[in-house]
Amino acid sequence: KKKYASKSISDIDSNSELGIWEKYELEKEALQQFFEEGEMGWEEYEKSVKDLRIKYAQQTIETISSTLNTIGNFVSSLRDMEMAQAEAQYQADLTAAGDNAEAREQIQEQYEQKKLDIQKKYANVDMAINIAKAIASGALSAVKALELGPVAGPIFAGIIAATTAAEVATIV
């Protein structure tokens, strides 16, 4: 029966059509059924449910982190594209200005302002993404620390939370 139980939970875990929350609920129901059928004792059941929570908390946070990285890359691409467009416009304007020093100086000033505006525009977005990444990373570390046991786990999780708060403060 134990082989069947681990196979059943393994089948749920490997099902790519299910979302994280659905997998968690199905695995938890399977554990509940195994407990009710006497295939595992109370202590084993409680430990299995705790491990399950930690497992899916980690998977959820890892998914969030991956999504944040994708968003960060997308935002960087947008910023790079805007900068390239500003540079292309700058070069075209310089060419059109020819040898007119006054026009070239004005074009240079406009270009520098445009670059500054683009940097400002994306600075807040970058900060928000970096804060979210720091929080997700800290949360993942704190969840992993909980695996250290009922005494050490919460202590290390608390230390990690404080470190994460300090990291967020340096970003802001």
Side-chain angles (χ1 to χ4, degrees):
K1 282 189 172 183
K2 287 266 186 182
K3 276 187 177 179
Y4 172 75
S6 63
K7 173 105 173 87
S8 175
I9 289 176
S10 174
D11 289 344
I12 293 168
D13 194 34
S14 65
N15 186 334
S16 62
E17 294 178 11
L18 297 175
I20 291 174
W21 181 251
E22 293 166 316
K23 288 180 183 182
Y24 169 77
E25 287 295 319
L26 288 172
E27 284 190 45
K28 188 176 172 192
E29 287 174 15
L31 289 173
Q32 177 73 32
Q33 183 179 356
F34 301 144
F35 171 69
E36 289 172 358
E37 292 174 357
E39 293 183 35
M40 64 173 59
W42 177 252
E43 287 181 16
E44 184 181 2
Y45 170 74
E46 283 293 308
K47 181 183 181 324
S48 295
V49 169
K50 178 186 164 215
D51 292 345
L52 187 66
R53 285 185 191 127
I54 290 172
K55 171 184 158 183
Y56 281 102
Q58 288 175 341
Q59 285 184 12
T60 300
I61 294 167
E62 287 168 356
T63 300
I64 291 168
S65 293
S66 175
T67 302
L68 289 170
N69 285 331
T70 301
I71 292 169
N73 291 338
F74 178 71
V75 169
S76 291
S77 295
L78 288 176
R79 179 183 40 243
D80 293 346
M81 183 182 70
E82 280 194 50
M83 287 295 231
Q85 288 174 342
E87 174 69 24
Q89 184 63 50
Y90 170 67
Q91 294 301 326
D93 291 347
L94 283 178
T95 301
D99 292 335
N100 184 336
E102 190 175 304
R104 291 177 75 83
E105 185 177 324
Q106 185 179 6
I107 291 167
Q108 178 68 34
E109 288 173 9
Q110 289 172 345
Y111 173 65
E112 293 301 325
Q113 184 60 48
K114 180 71 173 174
K115 283 189 348 185
L116 186 61
D117 291 345
I118 292 169
Q119 290 169 348
K120 285 180 183 178
K121 177 180 174 181
Y122 288 98
N124 289 335
V125 175
D126 286 339
M127 181 175 66
I129 290 170
N130 288 332
I131 289 171
K133 283 180 180 180
I135 291 170
S137 174
L140 182 59
S141 296
V143 168
K144 286 182 179 180
L146 293 175
E147 294 176 340
L148 298 175
V151 177
I155 291 170
F156 282 107
I159 292 169
I160 290 166
T163 304
T164 301
E167 183 179 351
V168 167
T170 63
I171 294 170
V172 177

